Amino acid sequence: MGTWFNRAVALTMMAVTASCSSGMSGLDSLPPAPVAAYRLGAGDEIRVMVPGLATPDTLNATYVVNDRGQLSLPLLGDIDANGKTVPELQQAIAAQLMQRQLLNTPTVSVQPVRLRPFYVLGEVKTPGEYQYRPGISVLAAVSVAGGYTFRAQQGTVEVVRMINGRQVTGRAGPTDMVQPGDTIRVHEKWF
């Protein structure tokens, strides 16, 4: 009788444990975010200034990296920006200016104005789209979204991220770094 009772209790505990697991139980940990410099991508808004070519109209002009990863600049047309750091883009623009013989030794200044947003969904007080800031952690992103609701499973979240052109879904902890374009989903706890 004792053996049967012990097996019944063990099966019941396994069933309760299985039913309490979240939708994240089958997810691998998200690869750590790269510590390298920020890389531009579609949706980033930047200001490009070139002394010697600047006019009053272009001094405060901003440009958005289009869905093909390009900037459309006056005089130069489309310049590839996707995956480039700010210094790499500055060099690419300077090279185009010299190649087209518009300036002999151009000085190019590229300043990010607004970076791609990240998204926070699920059990947070104000889910939505938020502006990315370099160095923001998952916990800070949840705080920006108003914090956890009382139903939220705290501590681990689901993150959907583009890595090498492929969408990857994984688990992330509070100290993991958010990347531009990430979608963070806070799941509901089961009890």
Side-chain angles (χ1 to χ4, degrees):
M1 172 91 175
T3 304
W4 180 83
F5 179 73
N6 288 341
R7 286 184 189 164
V9 168
L11 286 173
T12 303
M13 291 304 291
M14 287 183 355
V16 167
T17 304
S19 67
C20 293
S21 67
S22 70
M24 293 186 294
S25 60
L27 295 177
D28 292 331
S29 292
L30 196 64
V35 181
Y38 181 82
R39 298 218 172 256
L40 297 168
D44 286 334
E45 183 178 352
I46 59 174
R47 179 174 291 116
V48 178
M49 294 176 43
V50 182
L53 287 182
T55 65
D57 294 336
T58 61
L59 280 177
N60 289 318
T62 60
Y63 305 93
V64 177
V65 178
N66 65 26
D67 58 349
R68 294 182 317 275
Q70 299 174 327
L71 286 175
S72 292
L73 299 176
L75 299 176
L76 296 179
D78 291 340
I79 302 285
D80 287 327
N82 194 45
K84 287 186 167 72
T85 63
V86 168
E88 290 170 347
L89 180 60
Q90 289 174 167
Q91 291 172 356
I93 294 170
Q96 285 290 319
L97 289 167
M98 289 189 301
Q99 181 182 355
R100 295 181 187 203
Q101 299 178 351
L102 295 171
L103 291 173
N104 290 332
T105 54
T107 302
V108 178
S109 172
V110 173
Q111 302 167 340
V113 174
R114 185 176 14 217
L115 304 176
R116 291 185 309 277
F118 64 91
Y119 306 88
V120 184
L121 307 173
E123 294 299 324
V124 291
K125 293 182 182 159
T126 48
E129 173 182 296
Y130 296 94
Q131 186 173 348
Y132 174 77
R133 293 185 320 265
I136 190 169
S137 68
V138 167
L139 184 59
V142 169
S143 296
V144 168
Y148 294 110
T149 66
F150 71 94
R151 292 185 304 265
Q153 177 183 339
Q154 298 181 23
T156 306
V157 298
E158 175 184 326
V159 176
V160 178
R161 176 177 294 162
M162 291 299 287
I163 299 176
N164 298 325
R166 197 171 64 86
Q167 193 174 37
V168 176
T169 303
R171 287 178 296 145
T175 58
D176 289 325
M177 292 293 115
V178 174
Q179 291 295 295
D182 279 359
T183 299
I184 301 165
R185 178 176 296 279
V186 177
H187 287 270
E188 182 178 357
K189 64 184 171 184
W190 291 88
F191 64 88

